[in-house]
């Protein structure tokens, strides 16, 4: 019930703050579990995704966001999994696998951090591929464009155009215990699936 309330609020906020275009809504699975992978442009990404996806998203969030007075309560209420960036956070990995094993949706930005000033894709980390192969679940790629403009739009009382593109679900070539060199290759597969959903200027190293 709490998620339905949060999603209703997210839908209203998205309509008030953006002119959102959603492409590929038909690719959203009818039921979990699945791994949602996306690029990461701003703190508005998760509320926007919540307005698009009908299923509760348990997202991985950097632990430093716990001190953000605006988004920390939202992330906590949605059951975010706090992760320490720059290290192998085994607790976060176990939590992530548990989410999928319970038949829920896990949201991951494989880059492991927000995009830089160029807003383009950076090299992906292997965590998403690791979780996908261990849990043997479908992966739903999402490309987000324009959310980096929302904050400045609020200051100007304007609604920037934002695009959310949902790609076809897919699975990686194998599952189970996968060697690290293969996880690197599978990470590239995931990142390329995200890249093709983005305008060219957002594709970065995966252009």
């Amino acid at each position: 019930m709490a998620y339905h309330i949060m999603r209703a609020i997210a839908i209203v906020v998205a309509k008030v703050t953006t002119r959102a275009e959603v492409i590929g809504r038909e690719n959203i699975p009818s039921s979990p579990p699945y791994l949602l992978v996306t690029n990461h442009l701003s703190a508005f990404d998760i509320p926007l995704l919540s307005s698009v996806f009908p299923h509760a998203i348990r997202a991985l969030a950097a632990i430093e966001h716990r001190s953000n007075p605006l988004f920390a309560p939202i992330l906590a209420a949605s059951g975010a999994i706090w992760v320490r960036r720059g290290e192998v956070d085994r607790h976060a990995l176990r939590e992530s696998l548990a989410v999928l094993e319970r038949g829920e949706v896990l949201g991951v930005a494989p880059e492991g951090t927000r995009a830089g000033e160029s807003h383009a894709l950076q090299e992906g980390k292997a965590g998403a591929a690791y979780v996908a192969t261990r849990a043997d679940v479908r992966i739903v790629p999402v490309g987000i464009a324009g959310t980096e403009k929302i904050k400045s739009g609020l200051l100007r009382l304007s609604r920037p155009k934002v695009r959310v593109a949902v790609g076809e679900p897919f699975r990686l070539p194998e599952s189970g215990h996968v060697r690290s060199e293969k996880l690197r290759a599978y990470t590239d597969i995931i990142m390329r699936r995200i890249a093709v959903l983005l305008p060219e200027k957002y594709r970065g190293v995966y252009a």
Side-chain angles (χ1 to χ4, degrees):
M1 182 63 70
Y3 178 75
H4 294 303
I5 295 173
M6 288 183 57
R7 182 166 187 258
I9 294 172
I11 290 172
V12 172
V13 170
K15 288 182 177 179
V16 170
T17 61
T18 72
R19 291 176 291 125
E21 175 188 18
V22 181
I23 300 170
R25 201 185 290 269
E26 69 278 4
N27 291 323
I28 299 175
S30 58
S31 62
Y34 56 88
L35 176 65
L36 187 163
V37 293
T38 184
N39 58 316
H40 184 23
L41 299 176
S42 84
F44 292 93
D45 294 344
I46 288 298
L48 181 65
L49 289 172
S50 296
S51 75
V52 173
F53 280 75
H55 312 118
I57 302 169
R58 294 284 304 279
L60 286 174
I63 198 166
E64 53 263 36
H65 293 326
R66 268 184 166 172
S67 59
N68 186 307
L70 178 59
F71 290 103
I74 297 173
L75 290 168
S78 64
I81 299 171
W82 302 108
V83 60
R84 292 177 173 82
R85 289 193 295 200
E87 62 180 87
V88 178
D89 191 330
R90 299 191 183 282
H91 174 74
L93 288 174
R94 287 194 297 269
E95 285 280 308
S96 298
L97 290 171
V99 166
L100 295 170
E101 288 168 1
R102 289 196 298 269
E104 301 175 22
V105 178
L106 179 69
V108 177
E111 296 166 276
T113 186
R114 191 181 305 178
E117 291 184 4
S118 68
H119 310 300
L121 286 174
Q122 305 170 66
E123 187 175 356
K125 305 294 192 298
Y130 173 87
V131 170
T133 52
R134 283 296 181 94
D136 190 20
V137 293
R138 295 166 294 175
I139 302 173
V140 179
V142 178
I144 299 175
T147 54
E148 75 279 7
K149 302 173 185 176
I150 295 177
K151 185 176 180 180
S152 60
L154 290 173
L155 297 175
R156 298 195 306 267
L157 299 180
S158 65
R159 296 163 59 231
K161 185 175 181 180
V162 170
R163 191 179 81 163
V164 179
V166 184
E168 293 185 7
F170 68 100
R171 289 180 182 270
L172 292 174
E174 63 182 303
S175 60
H177 293 266
V178 178
R179 291 178 297 177
S180 59
E181 59 268 25
K182 283 194 173 182
L183 289 179
R184 179 68 263 164
Y186 293 165
T187 298
D188 287 341
I189 291 175
I190 292 171
M191 296 304 297
R192 286 196 293 268
R193 290 279 190 142
I194 296 172
V196 298
L197 299 171
L198 294 168
E200 188 172 353
K201 69 176 183 178
Y202 288 91
R203 294 175 185 172
V205 298
Y206 297 96

